[in-house]
Amino acid sequence: KTRTGSVDLAEYAHGLGGYFNPSVFPACITRVGRYPRVTVSHFVTGSIVCAGAKSELAIVAAIHLLRLQHCRRTGEAVQIVKFTRQNVVGNAYLGFRVDLEKLYNENPTKCQLVPTDFAGLGYTVSDNHRIVVFESGSVVITGYENEQAVWNAFCEHVAFFLSLIHI
């Protein structure tokens, strides 16, 4: 953050080689390196959101690279005040096709299926946790706080996934 508590995103985008178009998205978008390949959104409040990282280590490396880039281009040091992990997303391939309509008909209260709007079926595990299942057998697990919780969610639902085999 600057002394005034806000960041000039147009200047920031120019200095870091990012993209800023406030009519499209209210943040400056910066791509950080090839490894880790992470996209960082910088908001006017000084907050940043990292997306696309494969691990927490990749996020830490991306933030370090971003700090170095910023220091090199502007001469100003950046201090990370607070770091929180909010949403870890996992994906898997089941190895078989899934009958989404069958799944929806068996669990209409937990599922959301609107094929005209979205190709996947949303399965609500709890308030903040969701599993998106695609007919191809791809699964996306979202809303968990760490990698172990994503893995545990996948393991808890293995029997559920096996019941989805499209015959």
Side-chain angles (χ1 to χ4, degrees):
K1 291 186 179 183
T2 62
R3 284 186 217 135
T4 60
S6 64
V7 177
D8 181 355
L9 293 179
E11 183 181 315
Y12 193 75
H14 179 72
L16 281 178
Y19 171 79
F20 177 58
N21 184 347
S23 63
V24 176
F25 188 65
C28 168
I29 308 298
T30 306
R31 308 251 191 270
V32 180
R34 289 190 164 183
Y35 184 81
R37 187 173 179 180
V38 176
T39 301
V40 180
S41 301
H42 311 262
F43 293 89
V44 71
T45 60
S47 296
I48 62 173
V49 174
C50 299
K54 302 289 183 194
S55 67
E56 190 171 336
L57 181 61
I59 293 171
V60 172
I63 291 171
H64 182 68
L65 286 172
L66 190 64
R67 289 174 63 199
L68 290 174
Q69 269 184 342
H70 182 79
C71 187
R72 211 177 306 132
R73 291 187 180 177
T74 65
E76 299 174 356
V78 175
Q79 180 182 2
I80 304 300
V81 178
K82 182 180 173 186
F83 176 81
T84 58
R85 184 177 46 228
Q86 294 181 334
N87 184 24
V88 176
V89 178
N91 62 334
Y93 177 65
L94 299 175
F96 54 83
R97 297 187 65 72
V98 176
D99 187 345
L100 297 181
E101 287 188 28
K102 176 184 172 189
L103 172 61
Y104 178 77
N105 291 333
E106 290 176 2
N107 300 288
T109 58
K110 288 192 164 198
C111 296
Q112 182 179 8
L113 179 63
V114 185
T116 56
D117 293 345
F118 185 65
L121 177 138
Y123 181 84
T124 304
V125 177
S126 67
D127 288 341
N128 298 326
H129 306 120
R130 291 180 56 84
I131 297 174
V132 181
V133 183
F134 295 91
E135 190 173 358
S136 65
S138 292
V139 176
V140 177
I141 302 171
T142 184
Y144 292 89
E145 294 75 31
N146 58 53
E147 293 174 51
Q148 187 62 48
V150 171
W151 177 249
N152 291 344
F154 181 78
C155 292
E156 286 174 21
H157 291 85
V158 166
F160 164 73
F161 294 137
L162 292 175
S163 73
L164 304 177
I165 295 176
H166 182 69
I167 300 174

